[in-house]
Amino acid sequence: YRSAGYVMATMNIGPDVTIIPGVRYQGLETAYTGNRYYNASAPNPYPNPLPHSDTTIDEYHGYWLPDIIVSYNPFSWMKFHAAYTNTITYPDFGNLIPIIDVFSNSVNWNNYRLKPARSQNYDLAVSVYNNSIGLLEVAPFLKQIDNLIFTQSTYVSNPALYTGLPPGTKGDPISTAINNPFRVNLWGTELEWATHFWYLPGPLSGLVFNVNYTHIFSSAKYPYSVQRRGPPPFYSPVVVDTFYTDRLVDQPNDVVNLAIGYDYKEFSVRVSMEDQTN
């Protein structure tokens, strides 16, 4: 079940400044049932818990999401726009179902405790527009993402941290999804130009053009565990928790959207392309 409500207002300060504050509450309640298999195909499966069981997990997540937008028009051909917003992304259904598969030497554990990822967004835009230029905009931005959701392959350092795992799984490889305990910062600049070449001679006056280019930087810490040889005399494997730093998962550095078209009376045609690249 998902429910939400919001309140917002619009305030004008003179003819040039508009402020729009607001807040939204959004809640999500889930009840998912999943199967748990404990080495069920082996000759001697784990006797406790049972080799196979069904489990239902109830979870609720509720969030207040405030935002404020400020718009300033100092001239008829220029606009400044600033915004602070909050957005959330829910985990994938397949990661929330409380499924556990325990094999002879590895574990798949679905993390039903996953929280939605939450992003605080800071946006600033400067726009210039007139009949000759069209629309030209520069928009820097910053996103601060908490509880980023990503899949992880690691080792079981403590089975008690994973509800339902038998003690004998300590040190086994495990595949799961987690919320990143470290905040992820993503920032960049978006540039856009959209225009209609009405001032060109003859048939060229029907040409329209739009290009949008975004350059993105990101920095994220990702936790992971490594298994190392322990101290003598037994050299039992030891799981060490650490982290590495990289860009946001699946995040390109550059995104380009380009469209070229032609308008004539009631006829309109567009050709567009998108490019995402490192």
Side-chain angles (χ1 to χ4, degrees):
Y1 304 97
R2 186 164 70 172
S3 59
Y6 73 93
V7 59
M8 60 180 287
T10 300
M11 298 179 291
N12 295 313
I13 302 176
D16 302 326
V17 178
T18 301
I19 302 176
I20 305 176
V23 63
R24 172 184 175 91
Y25 181 83
Q26 183 158 309
L28 177 68
E29 181 179 1
T30 59
Y32 293 146
T33 300
N35 297 320
R36 296 185 168 185
Y37 298 92
Y38 296 92
N39 213 17
S41 60
N44 297 299
Y46 291 104
N48 188 20
L50 296 175
H52 167 259
S53 62
D54 293 331
T55 302
T56 301
I57 302 293
D58 296 331
E59 290 287 320
Y60 180 81
H61 299 286
Y63 290 91
W64 289 99
L65 306 171
D67 65 78
I68 184 168
I69 300 169
V70 180
S71 219
Y72 175 48
N73 292 75
F75 308 105
S76 61
W77 48 269
M78 176 179 284
K79 178 179 180 179
F80 294 91
H81 178 94
Y84 166 74
T85 58
N86 280 264
T87 53
I88 55 177
T89 301
Y90 289 109
D92 185 87
F93 171 77
N95 290 329
L96 285 177
I97 307 171
I99 294 175
I100 298 177
D101 285 324
V102 178
F103 306 99
S104 57
N105 58 358
S106 64
V107 176
N108 291 328
W109 187 81
N110 271 15
N111 187 358
Y112 65 87
R113 294 191 296 255
L114 282 174
K115 300 177 181 178
R118 179 167 179 170
S119 177
Q120 297 185 79
N121 312 300
Y122 303 86
D123 296 275
L124 179 67
V126 181
S127 304
V128 176
Y129 38 85
N130 63 34
N131 284 342
S132 298
I133 296 175
L135 169 67
L136 183 63
E137 184 173 84
V138 180
F141 59 87
L142 167 66
K143 297 179 181 294
Q144 296 180 319
I145 305 170
D146 295 310
N147 293 320
L148 175 74
I149 302 165
F150 68 98
T151 56
Q152 183 187 53
S153 296
T154 181
Y155 294 92
V156 180
S157 57
N158 181 2
L161 299 176
Y162 306 91
T163 302
L165 285 194
T169 57
K170 183 176 181 179
D172 287 352
I174 182 172
S175 296
T176 186
I178 69 169
N179 289 114
N180 197 336
F182 304 109
R183 170 172 284 183
V184 177
N185 291 309
L186 184 146
W187 64 99
T189 301
E190 181 179 1
L191 307 174
E192 182 164 8
W193 182 38
T195 191
H196 178 193
F197 295 104
W198 57 269
Y199 46 83
L200 294 180
L204 296 179
S205 63
L207 288 174
V208 293
F209 177 75
N210 177 256
V211 60
N212 180 286
Y213 167 68
T214 303
H215 186 69
I216 304 166
F217 304 89
S218 61
S219 177
K221 292 181 179 179
Y222 297 103
Y224 77 105
S225 301
V226 293
Q227 194 175 63
R228 296 174 179 167
R229 190 172 68 169
F234 301 107
Y235 301 101
S236 298
V238 175
V239 177
V240 179
D241 295 325
T242 182
F243 68 89
Y244 67 96
T245 302
D246 204 343
R247 66 180 177 180
L248 185 63
V249 174
D250 297 327
Q251 179 63 63
N253 293 333
D254 298 282
V255 179
V256 180
N257 289 276
L258 178 67
I260 300 174
Y262 193 85
D263 290 344
Y264 179 72
K265 295 183 179 180
E266 296 181 357
F267 173 79
S268 182
V269 63
R270 297 290 187 275
V271 177
S272 64
M273 61 152 286
E274 180 185 35
D275 181 53
Q276 299 185 27
T277 176
N278 292 331

